[in-house]
Amino acid sequence: MESEDVAMNEADSLEALSGVLERLTENPYDISLHAEHIRIARSTGMDDQVDSALEMMTAFWAAGDEVWLPLIERKLHTSSLDVPEDLRAILDLFTRAEQDYLSMPILQKHLEFLVDRFEHLAQFESKPDGLEELFSPEWMHETLTKVVSLGIGHITKGHLLWDIQRDWELERLQNASGEEREQLVGLVEAMLLERLQQPHSTYSSFTTNYKPPDEYESLLVKASKMRSRAVKGFQMREDLENSLARANFSLEGYAYYLGVERRRKNPDMFVLKALYERAIAEAAKRRFVGEPTAEEALRSFWIGYVDVLRQQDAEDEEQLLVFRRGMRSIPVSGDFYARYMRFLERALESEEAASEIHSTYEKAQSIAPLQTDVEQLVALVLARAGFEKRLVEAGKAGEQGFDALMQIIMDGINRVRKASSSGDPRLRLEKYLSAICLDLADLQANAVILWEDTAKHYKTSYLAWTSYTEVLTKQHMYDDARKAFRDIAMKNLDWPEAIWEAWISFEQLHGTVEELEDALDRIERAQTQVNNRRAKEAEKAQLAAAQLIAETQATSVPVAEAPVPTQTELMLEPTSMQVDSAFASETSTKRKAEDEGTPESSKKARVEEQTVAKLKRDRENCTVFVAELPAGIQEDELTALFKDCGSIREVKITQLPNSLVATVEFMERDSVPAALTKDKKRVRGQEIAVHLAWRSTLYVTNFPEDADDTFIRTLFGKYGEIFDVRWPSKKFKSTRRFCYVQYTSPASAESALELNGTNMQEGRTLAVYISNPERRKERTDSDANEREVYVAGLSKLVTKEDLETLFKTYGTVKDVRMILDDKGRSKGFAFVEFENEQDARAALAANNHELKKRRMAVTLADSRVRPKNKAPGYREEVRNRSVRVRNLPSGTQEGLLQQALEKHAKVKRVEVFADLAEAEVELENAAEAGKLLLKPDSIVFNGNTLQIVAENSSGPPTSRPIAPPSATSGFFVPRNAVSRPRAGLGSKQRGLGTAQGSTAPAAGGSATSGSNGGGGKGQDDFRKMLLGGK
């Protein structure tokens, strides 16, 4: 019976083996099939089947030690180690294995094999015939060095490899004599000195054993200096290595570690390359066992690796080797192929590059999984077309070059449409081909045909239809464009509002009154139809969600205990599932600095303080945005609509040029899920839209330094109606360059994400992200003050390099900002920014340090806390180059005001005092202040004519305008004196706490510009309309 069961199992295994082999024949680039093939082959117990499965894996994919080690072990056991052919085969197998991924076990086994064979062959007077230079001392030294170099950068395990070579070299040195000994002493010394640049060195014993006594001291001093730098480098990364180990070498841990290394001012390529190799090997191992996110991480690591090599100007041979290894590891990544083709274009002559790129592209087309992934396919085609386009523009493509370019793109478009029923929603290849037709070849008719075909294929894509009508309009084919608008106005598109707006704009420019009114009538009917359809869809979705919740409760709770959900619960739950629930706890009982001056007379007072702390304002998470409001709606109507959701803090209604919108802020974020259920509700007979405010808000950074509000609104305005653009204040940090762009709908924000990665001027790449408040720390410089130190008392001879050299001993320096005078000389102070807060605090030890015969003062550079003691005449000098700006409009943003003033003078700092509708403006020098004061034309800002007056030069120093005297006294009380806490029992002296009393609006807060009442409409009103009503 047992033999029958075994036979059955073998038969099942062989049948499964046959099935997986058949699938592998059809799709050899499915790594999960290879893993299954190896598993089934092992279950058969047949070594030849196992070897075949392992070899097949290595033929199509890069493999880790889980594949190579069994192959090597079997080769060692089945080969005769005294036969030269077998030895060469084993060495070739080790070389192939080491080209795929970093594997310390394989490298260590390779080294041990080399040393063992060398010792074995050394027993004979002559080597066997056929070995030639193999296993000679010179060959051994070269080969050991090469193998060790593959893993020496591994900070925690590299010594395992190096120790093997060191022991072999020292043993060889001990057995040498005469001239050979002298040569080996120099060779080993060079090897040890090179190793001293990393930790784990043993140079001292070598010096005393092999060097003359009179050289001991100088050599050891030199070695100690080299070793100290290496030890420091290791200590800098020790915490990261420990954290990585505690995280079980997770892929997220590697990604974080790599990010830290890449952000260093001068990345250590020795460490960084080895770290990428380790991360890639770990991701490949996890992918092989089926971890879902490993493939994406592996692609990210390889792409980051080649990008770093390019940015650091690595040798072409090194980059080429990494690219070839990467293509074996991630053969289904179009992004990686695209980078490889661009590398070939850079590194090779045009003819050779054309040949290599053509063969690479052909190979990529044969990989089935790549041809079904739209994102990867688009990247591949764009890279191939980009190379051909540049040849055409340079006149190097030949007579058929342009035709080849067109064919590449059209073939790519067809493959994208075959790859997925939804194709490419962003229509990148179609846009690329259209641009070539219109700009490069003057083929307008081809562009019209292209977009007509695209619109027919992507029947519900607003982007396809707007592009089609746009190209028709450009060709003055107005009747065709109007016919297209009429045909699609009533169709079920993914964003019908965009089509309607485009149609209205078209008719306003090119239509008659009758044609415009006909368009408006048709759009009105279409809106009614779309609203009805959306209401039905929302109702169906609501019922389906309620049913799902009921079923979930029924299966998770015993029938006797299962609660019956109320109608309110059924309405709330589906929406709440869509809102982030991992809210950070704010229940810390530790008193903050701003609470220290508050009297605490009883336990009751403490309880009240804790309650207030819990109610800390959280605008981003507590605010919903309401759009598509009917005209004339009042705040009390919205309050009544949302009152059952929770306590409302504030309702703001804003009239934009094309719509009426509002923001509703709740006291608690728990009210938001209920508020979101109001989406699609009818108010005054019109359906409204409700969403989380941050979902329609973009965080935008890395734009050009001269970009202003108009630039941003022009760039982002084409994706939808902009509600607001918020700029950060620069009064604390002048280098800040980011803003928040808020649309009236999340769809507009998501569409604008296509600008992310756009190449701007100065080589900058624009960064655009949804402004998720949970990720704020990853995208702001909110902790910059804690990472920066202020250095004063510097000699005028001190340079930026001097400060970098000094402060990098305390940690990684991110930036040094020397404050210079008009002649480019130091003013005697500077700011040093570190990568982390811990290093900045460590740098305080440099206080009173003497640098170029001057002792300097070092403090944390929290610019919100201003030092009391200034140099004589400092305050007077600041007043001389400062002005007071009055008559500011309500809700003035400091960033926008600074942009407006910088068009007329060089501004250093702006601070707005909202309660006084004034601002203090500090300019670069007195001459710049004079420019503003003597400017003949008035400056209009957001509809208000600004009043610019000289800063008051009398009275005490203060950061606020001096208040007007009271009716009963000619004296005033300085603000600093008013806000100073009274000393006494139960109180603490609060140092410079007055800086926290500023009422200037936060940079990230919402600021809605008010309108200036009165007066007729003129150019200023027109400008406001162009800028979205701001």
Side-chain angles (χ1 to χ4, degrees), residues 575 578-579 619-628 642 656 660-666 672-681 688-698 721 723 741-750 770:
T575 306
Q578 300 172 9
V579 181
R619 283 190 180 91
E620 286 187 286
N621 287 308
C622 295
T623 303
V624 296
F625 193 92
V626 189
E628 300 177 18
F642 290 96
L656 298 178
L660 187 67
V661 297
T663 55
V664 180
E665 183 183 356
F666 293 92
V672 170
L676 294 176
T677 64
K678 304 297 183 181
D679 186 37
K680 309 302 180 187
K681 294 288 184 184
I688 65 172
V690 182
H691 63 266
L692 276 168
W694 63 262
R695 291 191 183 277
S696 61
T697 304
L698 298 175
E721 188 171 30
F723 169 67
V741 179
Q742 185 172 4
Y743 289 92
T744 58
S745 72
S748 299
E750 291 170 3
I770 295 293

Side-chain angles (χ1 to χ4, degrees), residues 826-864:
S826 170
K827 284 189 174 182
F829 60 99
F831 295 89
V832 181
E833 185 179 355
F834 289 85
E835 288 285 354
N836 58 65
E837 180 182 349
Q838 182 180 359
D839 293 340
R841 294 192 176 278
L844 296 178
N847 186 44
N848 210 31
H849 177 82
E850 184 174 320
L851 183 62
K852 294 197 174 179
K853 299 183 180 180
R854 288 284 298 273
R855 292 193 178 274
M856 60 187 185
V858 182
T859 59
L860 284 177
D862 189 346
S863 49
R864 292 166 293 184

Side-chain angles (χ1 to χ4, degrees), residues 78-98:
T78 58
S79 300
S80 174
L81 301 184
D82 292 325
V83 176
E85 290 74 14
D86 286 0
L87 280 176
R88 290 182 186 275
I90 293 171
L91 293 175
D92 289 342
L93 192 61
F94 273 117
T95 301
R96 287 176 55 202
E98 290 159 358

Side-chain angles (χ1 to χ4, degrees), residues 91-235:
L91 293 175
D92 289 342
L93 192 61
F94 273 117
T95 301
R96 287 176 55 202
E98 290 159 358
Q99 287 176 348
D100 280 351
Y101 299 118
L102 172 66
S103 169
M104 300 305 285
I106 290 177
L107 293 174
Q108 197 168 353
K109 193 172 191 66
H110 190 180
L111 292 172
E112 291 169 351
F113 172 77
L114 292 171
V115 172
D116 177 73
R117 285 295 90 197
F118 178 82
E119 292 176 351
H120 173 75
L121 294 172
Q123 298 174 4
F124 303 99
E125 293 183 1
S126 60
K127 292 190 299 183
D129 295 336
L131 285 180
E132 298 173 353
E133 80 286 354
L134 294 183
F135 295 100
S136 66
E138 293 77 14
W139 181 90
M140 278 289 294
H141 170 76
E142 182 179 341
T143 305
L144 290 174
T145 302
K146 182 178 179 180
V147 175
V148 169
S149 68
L150 296 176
I152 194 64
H154 195 305
I155 290 181
T156 58
K157 294 183 179 180
H159 67 282
L160 298 175
L161 309 179
W162 190 82
D163 289 350
I164 295 174
Q165 183 183 12
R166 177 204 59 194
D167 293 344
W168 182 84
E169 298 283 4
L170 289 176
E171 183 178 356
R172 181 186 172 200
L173 177 59
Q174 290 174 356
N175 297 329
S177 60
E179 184 177 345
E180 181 186 6
R181 181 183 177 90
E182 293 180 6
Q183 293 177 350
L184 290 178
V185 167
L187 185 148
V188 174
E189 181 182 25
M191 185 183 79
L192 292 171
L193 287 174
E194 182 181 2
R195 179 59 175 164
L196 275 174
Q197 297 176 37
Q198 305 119 31
H200 314 299
S201 301
T202 55
Y203 185 71
S204 178
S205 60
F206 168 81
T207 302
T208 55
N209 290 333
Y210 298 103
K211 302 297 290 186
D214 59 344
E215 297 181 14
Y216 288 178
E217 184 174 355
S218 61
L219 289 173
L220 290 177
V221 168
K222 177 182 177 182
S224 297
K225 290 181 179 179
M226 296 177 68
R227 187 177 185 279
S228 65
R229 291 194 294 269
V231 171
K232 182 181 176 183
F234 177 78
Q235 291 172 345

Side-chain angles (χ1 to χ4, degrees), residues 699 733 735-738 776-777 779-785 787 833:
Y699 170 74
K733 191 174 178 67
T735 57
R736 303 175 94 185
R737 194 189 301 119
F738 65 89
R776 167 176 284 187
K777 288 186 177 180
R779 54 173 169 78
T780 69
D781 56 358
S782 58
D783 64 338
N785 290 320
R787 294 185 281 106
E833 185 179 355

